Amino acid sequence: MIIANWKMNGSKDLIKDWITSVSENIKIQDEKECVFCPPVGYLNLSIELIKEKELGIKLGSQLIESNLSQPLTGGVSPEMLVDLGCEYAIIGHSEQRTYYNENDSQLINKIEAAIEENIKPIYCIGENSEQKKNGTKQEVLMKQLDLIKSNYLSHLVVAYEPIWAIGTGENAEVSHINETHAFIKEYIKTISNTANEIPVVYGGSVNLNNYKEIYSSELVNGLLIGGASLEPINFSIIYNQS
Ligand code: PGA
């Protein structure tokens, strides 16, 4: 699974150019999902273009609201996302935990609200550089995974995104990724009642130079790509050759 996370980038023209170029260069395979997460304001345009080009790319939202019982200026409900054609939502990204002050109970609610509407959460977890240095990575990851009720776990895609690797150009070493993905998968098995393995994707400075080595690991079920996903030819190459 290859996910493009555009963050707060783009314009109508850039979205049109990207989808046109990707549709000319990418070879979508049924068994390898491709998910495009543009800013929420461009979801509608994106799905229209994806349909027009008959491009087998799925749509994901960077935003989702769980507080559904009261009027909420600025809220985007899971139902609206379904109406817009979204099948995925990124939840728990470190940038939202930091800049939107998302707390644990909001994350739990968002995950549950998404699943109730059949939107698959891409649940981001990862340690910061301090936690990496002081050797508390596993505790941090366990705490982030413990938030999710075991019956919801089987509906997730987990994205391991070490915070120190996001947007820094400093991707995690493959040995670090392998060790961490193995830990996450094993830990999920101990707390989940599902027999199916939950996909664990890696994100953090993935680019044209490092994707092959990272994705070649059988413990890596996909890539969550930020900055490098903006360039359509490079993104298509990463998809086609991973
Ligand atoms: P990056 O972002 O690829 O630019 O490091 C990844 C992400 O934040 O999802």
Side-chain angles (χ1 to χ4, degrees):
M1 144 176 257
I2 306 291
I3 306 159
N5 174 16
W6 268 32
K7 310 193 182 189
M8 196 168 60
N9 289 290
S11 64
K12 284 197 276 187
D13 284 345
L14 284 175
I15 297 266
K16 279 181 205 154
D17 291 349
W18 191 86
I19 291 179
T20 304
S21 174
V22 167
S23 70
E24 286 161 3
N25 290 290
I26 209 163
K27 293 179 190 66
I28 296 291
Q29 300 157 37
D30 288 346
E31 66 284 2
K32 184 165 59 173
E33 277 184 285
C34 184
V35 183
F36 180 38
C37 306
V40 78
Y42 298 125
L43 284 170
N44 198 39
L45 172 66
S46 301
I47 197 72
E48 295 296 327
L49 293 168
I50 287 169
K51 279 192 196 146
E52 188 187 304
K53 306 267 180 212
E54 295 181 5
L55 185 60
I57 288 188
K58 308 215 158 139
L59 203 60
S61 176
Q62 299 175 29
L63 275 184
I64 188 162
E65 189 49 62
S66 59
N67 192 349
L68 308 177
S69 57
Q70 48 207 340
L72 180 61
T73 302
V76 182
S77 70
E79 223 177 352
M80 290 172 191
L81 294 178
V82 170
D83 194 29
L84 283 165
C86 279
E87 294 178 54
Y88 288 87
I90 296 174
I91 298 179
H93 193 286
S94 61
E95 289 154 7
Q96 297 204 340
R97 291 182 197 246
T98 305
Y99 300 115
Y100 289 164
N101 291 319
E102 266 184 347
N103 60 35
D104 289 352
S105 76
Q106 283 167 318
L107 290 178
I108 300 170
N109 291 342
K110 284 185 178 193
I111 285 177
E112 296 187 1
I115 292 169
E116 298 300 331
E117 281 297 330
N118 276 328
I119 290 185
K120 220 174 189 20
I122 299 166
Y123 178 48
C124 301
I125 60 173
E127 79 286 3
N128 62 28
S129 54
E130 188 65 33
Q131 293 157 340
K132 180 187 174 213
K133 250 187 252 148
N134 65 23
T136 54
K137 177 186 78 181
Q138 294 193 348
E139 280 88 331
V140 171
L141 297 174
M142 285 191 288
K143 212 167 149 242
Q144 290 170 331
L145 290 167
D146 281 341
L147 285 184
I148 317 298
K149 283 195 204 123
S150 63
N151 55 325
Y152 283 105
L153 265 171
S154 61
H155 297 274
L156 300 185
V157 172
V158 171
Y160 170 56
E161 293 211 305
I163 296 169
W164 47 270
I166 296 175
T168 58
E170 188 200 337
N171 65 285
E173 299 275 331
V174 174
S175 55
H176 176 103
I177 297 172
N178 278 340
E179 178 216 302
T180 314
H181 280 220
F183 172 77
I184 293 169
K185 284 170 185 274
E186 273 314 302
Y187 188 66
I188 288 175
K189 266 191 221 153
T190 66
I191 54 175
S192 158
N193 50 15
T194 174
N196 297 333
E197 197 170 276
I198 290 150
V200 181
V201 307
Y202 169 78
S205 295
V206 174
N207 59 37
L208 208 49
N209 299 320
N210 59 25
Y211 75 94
K212 235 182 200 154
E213 198 192 358
I214 297 171
Y215 203 31
S216 66
S217 164
E218 59 186 30
L219 294 163
V220 175
N221 305 117
L223 302 170
L224 175 52
I225 311 172
S229 71
L230 293 166
E231 211 294 307
I233 298 189
N234 290 351
F235 179 75
S236 303
I237 293 173
I238 294 175
Y239 177 88
N240 291 341
Q241 300 195 5
S242 57

